[in-house]
Amino acid sequence: MNNPYIPKKYEIIDIQHQTDIDYTYRLACDIAPQNGQFVEVSIPKIGEAPISISDFGPGYIDMTIRRVGKVTNYLHDLKIGDSMFLRGPYGNGFSLDQYKGKHLMITAGGTGLAPVKSIINHFHRNPQEIKKLDLLIGFKSSKDILFAEEIEAWKKNEKFNVILTIDRQEEGWTGNVGLVTQYVPALEVLDEDNLEVIIVGPPMMMKFTGLEYLKRNIGEERIWVSFERKMSCGIGKCGHCKIDETYVCLEGPVFNYVKAKQLMD
């Protein structure tokens, strides 16, 4: 019988510096995740941390990791050729079939872009599978922008409408300014019967962005959110992700809004 707590060792084959504190690591890996799932990354004698999978393909996965504590500080000192220990993937992710052939609106705040990047890239590579994709991305500042090169590539996709905004005006910034919530009312709905919405980001951002979509009479059953920030052990043993009677790591992190509205603070 396999021990669910024992991780496997995987080699780092590429590292991309997104910001001063956000690095994307590509690992040679046989894990085949769902979009929006996460893994547990561990370093012997240091600790363990739940990390979202930001992209994946045959023989590899990508993880975008922010330096925020003991484990992630150690990870940021690793180099190509070094190894990480992983277990997983865990959780219920986003189902691509739910969005194929439809008008999809994705709103992501900060590092919330990471768990949905694989979905965006799938439809970027396969635009024939979607009617339209509205992508609304918000960051605190221009220095916090993740995946800048990919965002520019997404803007060139004829099926994509990409709105990138930062919270406050900066010297030299010529793009959009303001919270993502103020841009939701302007999004054009092609077909209400074939519309799906994804929201990922900090809890307050998801709460108020969800309310903006509801104001547009978009049904709760058409809205999906991810509570990936609540993850802890990944297998429902520690209880740190529990909200009332719901274990987020087992039932989520992806929830339909019908359920998620009961879990939001």
Side-chain angles (χ1 to χ4, degrees):
M1 182 175 180
N2 292 330
N3 187 331
Y5 288 105
I6 297 178
K8 290 179 63 177
K9 185 178 181 180
Y10 298 100
E11 182 183 355
I12 300 169
I13 57 176
D14 189 42
I15 302 174
Q16 296 290 329
H17 291 200
Q18 304 290 340
T19 72
D20 290 342
I21 60 171
D22 298 285
Y23 296 178
T24 297
Y25 296 83
R26 176 163 292 185
L27 275 63
C29 188
D30 56 2
I31 292 175
Q34 253 189 318
N35 300 277
Q37 285 189 307
F38 66 100
V39 292
E40 295 286 343
V41 181
S42 61
I43 302 297
K45 300 182 181 180
I46 301 296
E48 184 177 63
I51 304 293
S52 296
I53 298 169
S54 54
D55 213 342
F56 58 90
Y60 76 89
I61 66 166
D62 290 348
M63 297 179 296
T64 301
I65 301 175
R66 170 163 288 184
R67 184 193 291 264
V68 293
K70 186 177 180 181
V71 175
T72 52
N73 286 345
Y74 185 94
L75 294 174
H76 273 225
D77 289 332
L78 297 179
K79 297 177 176 59
I80 294 173
D82 290 337
S83 298
M84 294 184 194
F85 290 82
L86 307 184
R87 58 180 178 87
Y90 296 118
N92 293 305
F94 297 98
S95 171
L96 282 180
D97 290 338
Q98 183 73 33
Y99 313 119
K100 288 180 179 179
K102 297 182 180 180
H103 178 185
L104 177 60
M105 293 180 176
I106 299 177
T107 303
T111 55
L113 181 57
V116 294
K117 188 168 82 76
S118 60
I119 300 174
I120 300 165
N121 276 335
H122 175 85
F123 289 121
H124 180 59
R125 293 189 299 265
N126 303 279
Q128 74 282 359
E129 293 185 1
I130 200 163
K131 287 187 175 181
K132 182 183 178 183
L133 196 154
D134 284 296
L135 180 56
L136 178 50
I137 315 166
F139 294 97
K140 286 183 177 180
S141 72
S142 60
K143 294 181 180 180
D144 297 307
I145 294 174
L146 303 176
F147 317 122
E149 291 184 5
E150 286 172 285
I151 291 173
E152 290 304 311
W154 297 337
K155 288 180 179 179
K156 297 175 183 177
N157 192 311
E158 293 183 356
K159 292 285 188 77
F160 283 29
N161 169 40
V162 180
I163 300 172
L164 172 64
T165 182
I166 61 174
D167 289 356
R168 296 176 182 83
Q169 183 61 55
E170 297 176 0
E171 183 178 353
W173 176 258
T174 58
N176 298 300
V177 177
L179 302 178
V180 291
T181 48
Q182 73 185 60
Y183 292 90
V184 172
L187 297 177
E188 180 185 0
V189 177
L190 295 180
D191 181 356
E192 291 184 4
D193 294 330
N194 285 288
L195 176 68
E196 300 286 341
V197 174
I198 294 174
I199 307 168
V200 187
M204 293 303 288
M205 170 265 175
M206 291 197 296
K207 176 180 179 179
F208 287 103
T209 303
L211 292 175
E212 288 298 323
Y213 279 109
L214 293 176
K215 288 178 185 177
R216 300 199 56 182
N217 296 318
I218 294 171
E220 294 178 350
E221 72 282 358
R222 299 189 180 280
I223 302 174
W224 305 84
V225 301
S226 175
F227 286 9
E228 46 94 20
R229 292 174 183 237
K230 295 286 291 183
M231 297 299 95
S232 191
C233 75
I235 56 176
K237 299 299 183 183
C238 72
H240 288 151
C241 73
K242 192 177 181 184
I243 304 175
D244 296 327
E245 299 304 314
T246 299
Y247 285 88
V248 175
C249 66
L250 299 180
E251 296 187 39
V254 176
F255 292 95
N256 185 263
Y257 195 88
V258 175
K259 171 76 171 181
K261 67 180 181 181
Q262 305 169 27
L263 306 177
M264 290 187 180
D265 297 330

